[in-house]
Amino acid sequence: MEKKVKLLIVDDEIDFLDTIALRMEMRGFEVTKAPDGFSALESAEKNKYDIVLLDLKMPGINGQEVLEKIKNKNEGIEVIILTAHGSEEVSKETTELGAFCFITKPIDIDRLVTVIRLALESRQKNEIIIL
Amino acid sequence: MKNEQFASDELIFESTISKKMYSSLRRNYFIRLIILYLLPFAFIIIYFHYQYNDLMTKSREMHLMSVAENQSRIIDIFLYERINNILSIIQSPDYKYPIDKKNLNDMLQRLKRNSDAFIDMGYFDTTSIQLEYSGPLSFLEKKEYGNESWFKDLVLSSNNFVITNIYQGLRKTPHFTIGVKLTKNNKRIIFKVSLDPQKIYKYMTSFEKSNDVYILIVNKESIYQLVPNEISSPMSRSPFITSKLSGIGIDEFKLNKEKRTFAFSWISGVDWAVIVIEKEFSIKSYYNLKIELILSSITILLLLFLIIIIRSKNIVKTEKEKQIAKHQLEQASKLATVGELASGIAHEIGNPLNIIANEVGIMQDYANPKFNSSKTLNDLELNFKKIINAVYRIKDINNKLLTFVRKNENELSECNFNEIIEDLVSGFLEREMKVDNIEIIRKYSKNFPTVLSDNNQMKQVLINLLNNAHDAIEGSGQIIFVTSFDSEKIYISVSDTGVGIPEDKINKIFLPFYTTKPVGKGTGLGLSVSFSIIKNLGGSIKVESKLGKGTTFTIEFPLNSKI
């Protein structure tokens, strides 16, 4: 049996967070939910995640900060940005901070799964290159 | 779309501000202009007209008097000189008395050398018969003069000479006579010298340069002594009766029932007065000038009146345009406010949309046999509820948005600003602020009184202040709403812990299109329109700011405001 991919989903919109988590679980992912940036960082410290799905606009610690810290502390983690509106600015800023890519809301779930697969593949390739 | 919006707004606007209101505005403005400009101007014109008239009359009188005075001096000197001529000649040692005709001829020749007014000369001894005569009228020789009044006067007088009024005498032509008596060899002798009135007149008037006056001489009985032919003939009665019998002065006489002015100057040696009157053309030119002045004054007044009519029409036009422009500015600002809110709104609408998409997605998942779900429709109740909630969230945002764009006219109602602020702040705005780490703090006054105000317009003002506060805060901060009141006013303040406004810019913040925000972010309309809204509603707004500490805007409304 294949090892489950560990997802951390960070979004301050609880309803959204609940459903997306459920849908990802239905697709065979192991999901942890974080309702704000602080609990996301806390959670990332305790557990090792493969992929982080991260909202940008959040009270307290915003998405950019979370992205920066998670990428610094967790080697080999891939962050996919979930944003309400995609713009070149956001794309440039987040990729500079190390995000894998960004997906605009509302989420097309199949597309999200595909992107996650791509991110995982790219991580494996990177690891090989690094090794 | 935008253009259509403005056009329809203008139509509504035109109809709401009725024609009646504009006509009363025009009337008020017209009356104000008349009182402000036309009446004072008319008074000034009338005043100066009278002043000018007075001045003109006085200067004309002065002119007449000065001519009269000069002429009376000339006549005085003339007569004095003539008597001296006569006395010096008849007393000359060249002649031996009793004189003969040859002597008399010689004397007359010498007199004529002094003045061409001398006509002839006669000689009397103790009798009243003219013994010798020299001159053109030889029939006068040996005539009896005992009945002539001048002769009687001279014989009885203590003076040694008389000057007659004009008379015809024995020769039947008007002339003057100078009679001189003296004593020679203990005998009284008399000389009679007659003078030509026309020559005297010519001599006298030759000194007067101005040709706009008539100069004439009357005696105490108002009989013409010297008078130009155009007016009358000597010895006839004149209409000039002077108020005084000496000195100079001004008086009036009637000419064809019209009152005219004359100047008089009494001559010291004789009982004559020089009279000076204006010639007809000079009076006419004066009246013409007066009429011209009156006409031009009336023309100026009419012009002014016309300008006032046009001005008051124009003022209504510009007032209309101003109202429309102001209205458009307010509308533009509302739209701009909405524009500034757009990113927050997009985010807020985005979230429920996400939820809907997700809920629908998960239901699709349940329905997908691939996931082998055992969920029934009853299990989906929570999902449906989430979708409905999300829809209502969008509807709520939609409603709030519309309040900014829809209303144009003041819609007055009793407003409780605590409720207005709470209604505005709670919900998506507060969430948006929270996302940017801004805390909204309310310090509402208890038992806060209501005032008559416009709910929607005030919401727009508060949104503007909130947006500015938001933009002023870098990093995290607080926005504090405080309501308070005293016996006269209510106070609503919006404070931020932002960067503050520099002193050199604080005076400009209420100006339209003044903004410190980056290009594309602010229109510079928010505060200027807020200012005009508050002013329209009878309130005021002030600002206090400390650089680096924050800014406080305070809105005041009188408690029993009458708008």
Side-chain angles (χ1 to χ4, degrees):
Chain A
M1 184 121 173
E2 197 186 333
K3 202 189 160 195
K4 277 192 175 177
V5 176
K6 283 186 171 180
L7 285 187
L8 173 65
I9 308 181
V10 192
D11 202 305
D12 61 321
E13 191 69 53
I14 305 299
D15 285 345
F16 173 78
L17 184 62
D18 288 346
T19 34
I20 195 79
L22 186 58
R23 295 187 78 188
M24 292 315 281
E25 277 166 3
M26 286 172 81
R27 281 164 178 75
F29 292 95
E30 190 183 316
V31 180
T32 307
K33 297 184 277 189
D36 53 63
F38 183 74
S39 54
L41 290 175
E42 212 175 38
S43 193
E45 233 167 78
K46 287 177 193 159
N47 305 290
K48 197 176 183 310
Y49 296 106
D50 302 301
I51 301 284
V52 181
L53 303 182
L54 180 63
D55 184 26
L56 284 181
K57 267 197 141 183
M58 288 184 297
I61 311 168
N62 68 21
Q64 280 90 335
E65 254 176 88
V66 176
L67 167 64
E68 204 175 352
K69 284 184 178 154
I70 283 187
K71 282 300 278 186
N72 278 344
K73 286 186 180 170
N74 303 273
E75 218 175 292
I77 202 166
E78 284 299 344
V79 180
I80 296 166
I81 305 293
L82 304 180
T83 172
H85 28 240
S87 68
E88 259 182 61
E89 220 177 305
V90 177
S91 161
K92 202 182 163 201
E93 191 188 344
T94 50
T95 45
E96 267 172 18
L97 289 171
F100 178 71
C101 75
F102 75 96
I103 289 181
T104 54
K105 292 176 182 177
I107 306 295
D108 177 344
I109 199 90
D110 296 329
R111 189 172 140 76
L112 178 61
V113 173
T114 314
V115 169
I116 290 171
R117 300 253 173 258
L118 284 173
L120 290 170
E121 276 169 30
S122 108
R123 186 180 66 154
Q124 279 158 5
K125 275 181 200 160
N126 282 350
E127 272 173 0
I128 290 160
I129 292 162
I130 290 162
L131 287 168
Chain B
M1 274 303 281
K2 254 187 188 174
N3 289 339
E4 275 170 29
Q5 171 95 38
F6 279 125
S8 67
D9 281 348
E10 272 165 38
L11 283 178
I12 294 162
F13 177 72
E14 280 283 342
S15 64
T16 50
I17 297 180
S18 63
K19 276 184 183 169
K20 209 172 154 189
M21 192 176 140
Y22 275 124
S23 77
S24 101
L25 177 70
R26 185 164 56 223
R27 200 172 51 239
N28 286 346
Y29 197 77
F30 178 73
I31 291 167
R32 214 164 58 199
L33 281 182
I34 293 270
I35 292 171
L36 229 79
Y37 295 102
L38 199 65
L39 283 187
F41 194 69
F43 279 131
I44 287 170
I45 283 181
I46 291 166
Y47 175 75
F48 278 108
H49 191 77
Y50 276 108
Q51 288 286 316
Y52 176 78
N53 225 356
D54 202 38
L55 202 73
M56 275 304 279
T57 310
K58 279 205 178 113
S59 90
R60 284 162 69 207
E61 286 175 1
M62 290 298 284
H63 175 56
L64 293 182
M65 288 205 314
S66 88
V67 172
E69 196 183 10
N70 278 336
Q71 294 293 308
S72 71
R73 276 203 199 114
I74 288 162
I75 284 293
D76 196 23
I77 293 166
F78 175 81
L79 293 172
Y80 178 76
E81 280 178 354
R82 298 297 78 79
I83 287 163
N84 274 345
N85 293 156
I86 296 166
L87 285 174
S88 71
I89 286 169
I90 60 179
Q91 287 177 323
S92 160
D94 301 347
Y95 305 109
K96 293 279 180 268
Y97 286 87
I99 55 163
D100 54 14
K101 181 142 187 142
K102 192 175 160 274
N103 288 143
L104 200 63
N105 283 342
D106 193 53
M107 282 177 177
L108 183 63
Q109 287 311 310
R110 284 171 73 175
L111 280 179
K112 281 191 170 178
R113 255 174 261 148
N114 286 305
S115 167
D116 64 350
F118 291 114
I119 305 168
D120 55 12
M121 198 172 180
Y123 169 67
F124 301 78
D125 63 5
T126 45
T127 69
S128 57
I129 293 166
Q130 187 163 241
L131 283 182
E132 293 295 344
Y133 171 81
S134 173
L137 309 166
S138 51
F139 66 89
L140 292 174
E141 214 175 309
K142 309 293 186 222
K143 286 274 182 198
E144 166 62 47
Y145 276 80
N147 290 327
E148 294 287 309
S149 60
W150 69 267
F151 195 85
K152 287 189 232 167
D153 287 349
L154 180 62
V155 170
L156 298 174
S157 171
S158 57
N159 275 347
N160 63 341
F161 69 91
V162 289
I163 299 168
T164 66
N165 286 330
I166 200 161
Y167 75 116
Q168 290 191 313
L170 298 173
R171 69 189 68 183
K172 310 291 180 209
T173 47
H175 67 285
F176 298 99
T177 294
I178 299 176
V180 181
K181 72 177 175 187
L182 73 159
T183 310
K184 280 275 173 188
N185 311 326
N186 294 324
K187 277 184 186 169
R188 182 212 71 195
I189 51 170
I190 287 175
F191 283 94
K192 166 184 132 331
V193 183
S194 52
L195 295 162
D196 184 346
Q198 282 176 0
K199 291 274 165 60
I200 299 176
Y201 189 74
K202 211 174 149 192
Y203 173 81
M204 176 176 87
T205 52
S206 69
F207 289 93
E208 184 49 51
K209 295 284 189 304
S210 55
N211 61 346
D212 56 346
V213 289
Y214 285 123
I215 298 158
L216 32 101
I217 290 179
V218 297
N219 68 0
K220 273 192 171 145
E221 288 76 37
S222 290
I223 304 296
Y224 284 123
Q225 301 299 308
L226 293 173
V227 61
N229 293 333
E230 305 99 284
I231 291 183
S232 186
S233 53
M235 300 174 62
S236 54
R237 183 157 287 278
S238 84
F240 305 108
I241 297 162
T242 63
S243 53
K244 301 189 282 183
L245 291 175
S246 64
I248 60 173
I250 285 287
D251 220 320
E252 280 175 345
F253 71 103
K254 274 190 179 169
L255 183 75
N256 305 327
K257 290 181 180 174
E258 200 184 320
K259 269 191 179 177
R260 292 276 179 89
T261 306
F262 70 90
F264 62 86
S265 176
W266 287 94
I267 302 161
S268 48
V270 282
D271 288 335
W272 297 345
V274 173
I275 302 289
V276 181
I277 57 172
E278 282 174 316
K279 284 187 183 168
E280 203 61 31
F281 82 86
S282 132
I283 293 170
K284 261 191 188 146
S285 75
Y286 167 73
Y287 275 109
N288 285 346
L289 189 67
K290 209 166 146 184
I291 285 165
E292 265 172 41
L293 265 174
I294 290 171
L295 282 180
S296 55
S297 300
I298 289 171
T299 314
I300 289 170
L301 284 176
L302 280 177
L303 265 175
L304 201 62
F305 190 72
L306 208 73
I307 289 169
I308 285 175
I309 288 176
I310 294 167
R311 277 280 293 155
S312 51
K313 265 189 184 163
N314 277 355
I315 209 79
V316 170
K317 207 175 135 200
T318 48
E319 185 63 24
K320 266 188 196 170
E321 284 166 0
K322 227 163 81 184
Q323 288 288 347
I324 290 169
K326 193 180 154 201
H327 182 73
Q328 286 177 343
L329 188 67
E330 279 176 19
Q331 190 65 14
S333 142
K334 277 178 194 169
L335 294 174
T337 308
V338 173
E340 284 163 26
L341 286 173
S343 74
I345 291 161
H347 187 75
E348 280 305 310
I349 292 177
N351 278 340
L353 282 178
N354 284 335
I355 292 164
I356 293 168
N358 260 311
E359 296 302 327
V360 172
I362 201 161
M363 286 191 276
Q364 279 176 329
D365 289 351
Y366 292 149
N368 192 338
K370 192 174 94 185
F371 292 112
N372 207 8
S373 170
S374 57
K375 300 269 181 186
T376 64
L377 267 179
N378 286 340
D379 299 325
L380 300 182
E381 201 190 323
L382 190 67
N383 303 89
F384 288 130
K385 208 174 168 187
K386 282 183 182 174
I387 291 172
I388 288 295
N389 280 344
V391 169
Y392 278 111
R393 262 173 72 181
I394 295 172
K395 187 174 177 283
D396 177 46
I397 293 161
N398 202 22
N399 282 347
K400 282 190 179 171
L401 252 182
L402 280 177
T403 59
F404 297 119
V405 248
R406 197 172 43 206
K407 301 295 178 193
N408 286 311
E409 303 305 325
N410 284 3
E411 240 180 41
L412 298 177
S413 61
E414 286 293 331
C415 293
N416 182 330
F417 276 96
N418 284 353
E419 286 170 12
I420 290 176
I421 296 167
E422 191 52 40
D423 188 35
L424 180 84
V425 167
S426 64
F428 79 88
L429 276 173
E430 188 166 27
R431 278 197 293 276
E432 195 200 340
M433 295 294 166
K434 213 167 163 191
V435 164
D436 290 326
N437 296 321
I438 294 167
E439 193 185 356
I440 291 181
I441 295 169
R442 290 97 149 161
K443 290 179 181 167
Y444 295 142
S445 166
K446 276 180 187 168
N447 303 322
F448 195 60
T450 58
V451 290
L452 204 59
S453 191
D454 184 309
N455 190 327
N456 288 321
Q457 288 197 338
M458 282 312 295
K459 268 190 188 165
Q460 195 198 340
V461 170
L462 291 166
I463 270 269
N464 276 324
L465 296 180
L466 190 68
N467 275 342
N468 287 342
H470 183 178
D471 290 336
I473 294 170
E474 287 172 349
S476 61
Q478 293 177 333
I479 296 173
I480 307 126
F481 284 90
V482 182
T483 59
S484 62
F485 65 98
D486 55 28
S487 58
E488 287 172 4
K489 287 176 177 173
I490 62 159
Y491 306 91
I492 303 136
S493 71
V494 182
S495 308
D496 64 62
T497 56
V499 291
I501 306 164
E503 232 170 271
D504 59 320
K505 287 176 181 165
I506 204 154
N507 293 329
K508 299 179 195 162
I509 58 168
F510 290 110
L511 297 177
F513 303 109
Y514 182 79
T515 180
T516 56
K517 295 177 188 174
V519 177
K521 207 168 178 206
T523 56
L525 290 174
L527 278 178
S528 73
V529 170
S530 298
F531 183 84
S532 81
I533 287 174
I534 291 167
K535 214 177 132 200
N536 272 344
L537 292 170
S540 62
I541 180 168
K542 60 182 183 191
V543 60
E544 285 168 83
S545 188
K546 257 189 184 166
L547 218 55
K549 297 262 179 185
T551 306
T552 300
F553 284 91
T554 306
I555 301 166
E556 297 178 8
F557 282 113
L559 258 179
N560 39 5
S561 107
K562 290 185 184 94
I563 301 159

